[in-house]
């Protein structure tokens, strides 16, 4: 379509339209449009994360959810610190529980997760977050305490078959002994 023909067509359409005048009616229409576009994402976001999980959960899934919820609650509570007036110390005081929460959740993944790729990522999270906690403490002059995460599995190997070395555990089960 030629540009001048297009302009004439738009002008003809515009002359036949009654554009709303600014006022209460226009504001109400604008509010309705805003609600129509804003409400569905809010509803869908709420439905994507139900407040109560389905009743048909396995025992393992239920335990996972309970432990994860406890870890999240502990992290959020521990992050609520009172300001000291020292920005750096306040930052570390809030970040340490945040990083510890990541460690705790990664431990829960190792305890219950089946996906090997996610389990490796969880292991990396534990190492990385422990290193960052230590680095932050050292940066503000605090000693880097040795934080040892809880075991991911209960010890099922008899004590006689485990050889202890500093920082290392080895399972010398019957199939590995010479």
């Amino acid at each position: 379509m030629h540009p001048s023909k297009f302009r004439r067509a738009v002008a003809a359409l515009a002359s036949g339209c009654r554009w709303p005048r600014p006022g209460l009616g226009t504001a109400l229409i604008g509010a309705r449009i805003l609600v129509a576009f804003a409400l569905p994402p809010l509803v869908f976001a709420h439905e994507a994360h139900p407040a109560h999980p389905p009743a048909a959960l396995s025992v393992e899934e239920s335990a996972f959810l309970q432990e994860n919820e406890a870890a999240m609650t502990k992290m959020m509570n521990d992050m609520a610190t009172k300001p000291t007036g020292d920005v750096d110390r306040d930052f570390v005081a809030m970040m340490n529980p945040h990083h510890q929460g990541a460690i705790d959740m990664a431990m829960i993944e190792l305890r219950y997760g089946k996906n090997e790729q996610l389990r490796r990522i969880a292991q990396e999270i534990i190492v990385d977050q422990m290193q960052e906690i230590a680095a932050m403490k050292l940066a503000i002059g605090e000693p880097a305490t040795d934080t040892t995460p809880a075991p991911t599995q209960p010890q099922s190997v008899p004590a006689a078959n485990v050889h202890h070395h500093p920082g290392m555990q080895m399972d010398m089960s019957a199939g590995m002994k010479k």
Side-chain angles (χ1 to χ4, degrees):
M1 180 177 256
H2 194 270
S4 63
K5 289 182 183 178
F6 178 74
R7 286 187 191 136
R8 281 188 289 215
V10 169
L13 287 172
S15 66
C17 294
R18 290 188 46 209
W19 297 102
R21 294 182 186 180
L24 182 61
T26 304
L28 288 174
I29 290 173
R32 287 180 183 165
I33 292 170
L34 181 63
V35 168
F37 284 106
L39 192 58
L42 292 174
V43 171
F44 291 131
H46 181 68
E47 290 176 0
H49 305 287
H52 301 288
L57 295 176
S58 69
V59 173
E60 189 175 61
E61 176 73 4
S62 181
F64 165 78
L65 291 173
Q66 286 178 341
E67 287 184 38
N68 201 55
E69 180 66 27
M72 289 288 291
T73 300
K74 181 180 183 328
M75 178 187 72
M76 295 305 289
N77 290 339
D78 291 349
M79 286 175 58
T81 62
K82 292 183 182 179
T84 65
D86 182 339
V87 173
D88 295 327
R89 287 191 178 281
D90 293 346
F91 173 74
V92 172
M94 289 183 280
M95 288 305 290
N96 279 346
H98 177 71
H99 282 37
Q100 185 61 50
I103 292 168
D104 295 343
M105 287 182 268
M107 295 301 296
I108 296 166
E109 169 61 21
L110 291 175
R111 194 172 295 126
Y112 297 103
K114 306 287 187 265
N115 183 306
E116 285 305 315
Q117 184 177 5
L118 292 175
R119 290 173 56 81
R120 280 192 299 278
I121 291 170
Q123 289 170 339
E124 291 173 12
I125 288 170
I126 293 166
V127 171
D128 292 344
Q129 298 299 304
M130 289 176 76
Q131 289 174 348
E132 288 187 19
I133 289 171
M136 285 188 289
K137 285 184 175 184
L138 289 173
I140 60 169
E142 290 183 8
T145 56
D146 183 26
T147 56
T148 306
T152 59
Q153 301 292 326
Q155 288 289 341
S156 60
V157 178
N161 290 340
V162 178
H163 298 276
H164 295 283
H165 299 281
M168 176 189 262
Q169 276 194 344
M170 296 175 58
D171 177 8
M172 298 296 287
S173 57
M176 296 176 67
K177 290 182 183 176
K178 290 185 179 183

